[in-house]
Structure formats: structure tokens, C-alpha cells
Amino acid sequence: MQQTRKVVIGLGAAIVLFALVAVVWRPHRAVPEPVPPMDRLAIAVGDDPDDASALQTDQRPKLSTSPTAGRDASPSNPDHGAPAKAPATARPLPPDDRPLTEVFNELSERARNGDQDAACRLAWDLETCAGLEELAQVESTLVDWAAQERPGTTDESRAARRAATMASRLARARKVCAGLDASQTALAPAMMRRAAELGEPRSMARYALNPRFDRLRPLDQVDALHAYRNEAPVFLQRAVDAGDPLALIGLYQALVRGAIVTRSGTLPIDADPVRALELGLVLRTFADAATIRGIDEDVAAILPRLNPAQREQAERAAAQRLAGPFRDAMPRNFIDGWLEPELARVCAP
């Protein structure tokens, strides 16, 4: 209780600071910034929010105002695999460098039967395989960038580490993806949806914020698009409740702008300044400086629209999240390669 009081007091001080900022800050931007700028690594796996055409709709899914409301919600998804219930004792996954052609059927069957780890492994590896050519281009670009840095500098060391990391990921990807055919890689979005169904937090965030739809076959994906419209806000909320940082910034921005913006289009939701303030207060405790500046600007515009009771509500809910799912949140750079931590982590044994 005492620790929670300290968090609330700290948030109260932040509110006062934001109120002062609101008086002197430059005019609030008319249109919020897009999803955090992504470097070429993120773009290489298809995360381009600038093409926002396929998902636009006037029907705005409703998000609950409860800090933990989405946790137990289950989107309607008939005939899509077995019930979202993991086995009591999960079987070990295959080694993380095993080619998918050797384990595809096993992982698919386990995912259908409710194995969250198997669905996660297959979903993220299929996403990697679907973007393998772009990944190779990124690796080549990072090598070129490293070679252009001045020898012996910090920038050269950082660029060299990044290129080496990408080379390692690419080597694994080539081994894992060898022999897969197009019909298998085309299952990437369906498997990401399955992993989200089963409650895997980063998969819920990935599905909601970065859906992979084939723009050349829109009529073949009507059902999937309809399901996404209904499910994405619920999955995003559940991922936030589970403490996923990518979901947090995605939902925060959606509540500020009134839409989830993805590479496949824009899904309108109801803007909610109270909940945006709540999530912004949580986010700014571990985000990078540039992201924090954007949050401060948003909050400067939000505060004049809220009464004291609404501000207190946002503070209290933020304190609960900071004492709960985000209590151990690590510093996170959302501006430079915002998907890299997720891409680097494999659902491994």
C-alpha cells in the first residue's frame, strides 16, 4: 500500500508538471504522429503504417475502461482451431534452429490443440520466412552502414554489433525457412491469430498492430479482415493487461488518435482521453526520450479536457498498472527499431 501511495504521489507530480507544460507548450499537433518511426529492420518485415487503406471502417469497436477488462475476454472465433486452452503440461518445443519443413505438421497440430508455445514458434517463424528476402536486404544495408562509420568510433561499434546481430538472425532464418513453399508461408497471419487466441502477449500485440494481409487477394480474405476488425482491439487490450510494451504504446496511440493504424489500413476506435492519459503515464516511465516528448505533447492537449475526477481516475489506474504488469518494465527505445526486441526473441525450448 505504501509503495502504491508513492507511485500515485509521483504520478500526481507528473500531472502538475504536465499542466504547466500545457500553458507554455507549442500548439498541439492537429494529427498525431504515426506509429513510432521504424528503421529499415522493422520495415523489412512489413511493418509499414503509412499504407492505411484496407481496413478503414466507420464501425468503431468498443474498448473497456477497466484496467484489467480485456484479460479474460475471448473474441468470437468459430471454427478456428481448438479452444484457447493450453495443455496442463506443455511438451518441449523442437530446437530453435530446426527447419520448419521437419516440424511444421507437429507444430501446427499442437497449435490447433491449444499449445501456446507451439503456436508462438510457428507464427513468428512463418512471419520471418514470409519476409526473408527483405530481411536479407536489411542485413546487406546494415553491413554497408557499418562500413561507412568512422573507424574506432562508438557509432562504428554500435553499427557493427547491429550488423552482426542481423547476420546471426538471417543465418537462422535461412536454415529454418529452407524448403518451405508459398502455401505454408501464406499461413503466417492465421497462425499469428491463433497464437493471439491462445493468449501469447507479444503475438496479441503483433496481430493487432501489424496484421499481414495479402493486398493482391482482398476478396479471399474477407472473413479474416472481418475477424481482425472485431478481435484486434480485444487482443490489444489483453496484451496491455499482460504487460506487453508494444501493445501499451499501440493502444495508447490508438486512444489518442481514435484509430489503430497498421500497415494494412486504419481501424477506427473511440478516442478516450482518460485512458490515453492513464497509459501515457505508464509508458513515459520506461520509454525513450523522444517518445516521452511526444507523450508530453499529447498530455498537454488532453489535460484541459479532463476534470479533476477524471485526472484522478487516470492516475489511480496508471498506479495500478505500474504496481502490476509493468512493475518490472525495462527501458525501451520505441523510435529506433521498435520491433527488434520481439524479432530477437524466439519461442524456444
Side-chain angles (χ1 to χ4, degrees), residues 1 102 152 226 276 301 349:
M1 178 66 70
E102 298 178 10
H226 179 74

Side-chain angles (χ1 to χ4, degrees), residues 50-165:
D50 296 327
D51 185 353
S53 57
L55 292 175
Q56 291 180 4
T57 172
D58 290 331
Q59 298 184 28
R60 296 171 180 258
K62 301 293 184 181
L63 287 174
S64 171
T65 58
S66 168
T68 59
R71 188 170 301 165
D72 298 322
S74 179
S76 176
N77 190 16
D79 302 322
H80 188 71
K85 182 179 180 181
T89 302
R91 293 160 50 195
L93 288 173
D96 64 5
D97 62 348
R98 182 75 61 82
L100 277 184
T101 53
E102 298 178 10
V103 296
F104 186 89
N105 291 338
E106 174 195 342
L107 293 176
S108 297
E109 181 66 20
R110 288 173 60 175
R112 282 194 297 271
N113 290 332
D115 188 327
Q116 182 187 103
D117 292 339
C120 176
R121 165 71 75 80
L122 189 53
W124 285 79
D125 277 351
L126 286 176
E127 283 276 353
T128 296
C129 297
L132 188 59
E133 291 185 10
E134 294 87 350
L135 210 59
Q137 294 173 6
V138 170
E139 191 266 347
S140 177
T141 299
L142 292 179
V143 170
D144 291 342
W145 286 356
Q148 294 170 14
E149 298 292 350
R150 192 170 59 188
T153 63
T154 302
D155 288 342
E156 184 200 34
S157 298
R158 181 167 54 246
R161 285 195 304 270
R162 207 166 182 207
T165 297

Side-chain angles (χ1 to χ4, degrees), residues 204-218:
M204 289 191 284
R206 176 79 169 172
Y207 173 81
L209 297 174
N210 300 281
R212 181 183 290 276
F213 293 112
D214 187 345
R215 297 166 186 170
L216 300 180
R217 300 185 301 109

Side-chain angles (χ1 to χ4, degrees), residues 48-348:
D48 183 1
D50 296 327
D51 185 353
S53 57
L55 292 175
Q56 291 180 4
T57 172
D58 290 331
Q59 298 184 28
R60 296 171 180 258
K62 301 293 184 181
L63 287 174
S64 171
T65 58
S66 168
T68 59
R71 188 170 301 165
D72 298 322
S74 179
S76 176
N77 190 16
D79 302 322
H80 188 71
K85 182 179 180 181
T89 302
R91 293 160 50 195
L93 288 173
D96 64 5
D97 62 348
R98 182 75 61 82
L100 277 184
T101 53
E102 298 178 10
V103 296
F104 186 89
N105 291 338
E106 174 195 342
L107 293 176
S108 297
E109 181 66 20
R110 288 173 60 175
R112 282 194 297 271
N113 290 332
D115 188 327
Q116 182 187 103
D117 292 339
C120 176
R121 165 71 75 80
L122 189 53
W124 285 79
D125 277 351
L126 286 176
E127 283 276 353
T128 296
C129 297
L132 188 59
E133 291 185 10
E134 294 87 350
L135 210 59
Q137 294 173 6
V138 170
E139 191 266 347
S140 177
T141 299
L142 292 179
V143 170
D144 291 342
W145 286 356
Q148 294 170 14
E149 298 292 350
R150 192 170 59 188
T153 63
T154 302
D155 288 342
E156 184 200 34
S157 298
R158 181 167 54 246
R161 285 195 304 270
R162 207 166 182 207
T165 297
M166 177 53 62
S168 176
R169 291 184 199 166
L170 181 59
R172 175 190 177 272
R174 282 174 169 156
K175 183 174 182 179
V176 167
C177 301
L180 281 183
D181 59 41
S183 66
Q184 291 172 310
T185 56
L187 295 174
M191 190 52 60
M192 190 63 69
R193 179 187 177 195
R194 182 59 178 155
E197 268 187 328
L198 294 173
E200 205 283 310
R202 68 176 186 142
S203 298
M204 289 191 284
R206 176 79 169 172
Y207 173 81
L209 297 174
N210 300 281
R212 181 183 290 276
F213 293 112
D214 187 345
R215 297 166 186 170
L216 300 180
R217 300 185 301 109
L219 295 181
D220 295 340
Q221 301 175 88
V222 172
D223 290 342
L225 287 166
H226 179 74
Y228 172 83
R229 186 186 67 193
N230 293 326
E231 297 170 349
V234 177
F235 284 140
L236 196 56
Q237 178 65 64
R238 290 176 61 193
V240 169
D241 291 339
D244 184 84
L246 197 60
L248 180 67
I249 192 169
L251 183 54
Y252 163 75
Q253 292 181 329
L255 293 170
V256 169
R257 66 164 58 96
I260 299 174
V261 179
T262 80
R263 66 187 173 195
S264 298
T266 299
L267 177 63
I269 65 171
D270 288 332
D272 189 331
V274 176
R275 297 199 60 224
L277 177 59
E278 168 201 333
L279 299 188
L281 289 172
V282 176
L283 184 60
R284 74 184 314 281
T285 64
F286 61 89
D288 58 276
T291 297
I292 290 174
R293 285 194 296 271
I295 295 170
D296 291 351
E297 186 176 352
D298 289 333
V299 171
I302 288 172
L303 283 178
R305 297 152 53 191
L306 304 182
N307 59 44
Q310 289 173 317
R311 296 184 188 185
E312 182 180 356
Q313 175 186 337
E315 283 187 77
R316 186 166 54 249
Q320 291 175 1
R321 292 196 187 278
L322 287 170
F326 291 96
R327 63 183 176 275
D328 298 321
M330 300 296 293
R332 177 71 180 261
N333 184 344
F334 292 98
I335 300 300
D336 183 18
W338 75 311
L339 261 177
E340 284 195 63
E342 281 67 35
L343 294 172
R345 187 171 78 87
V346 176
C347 295

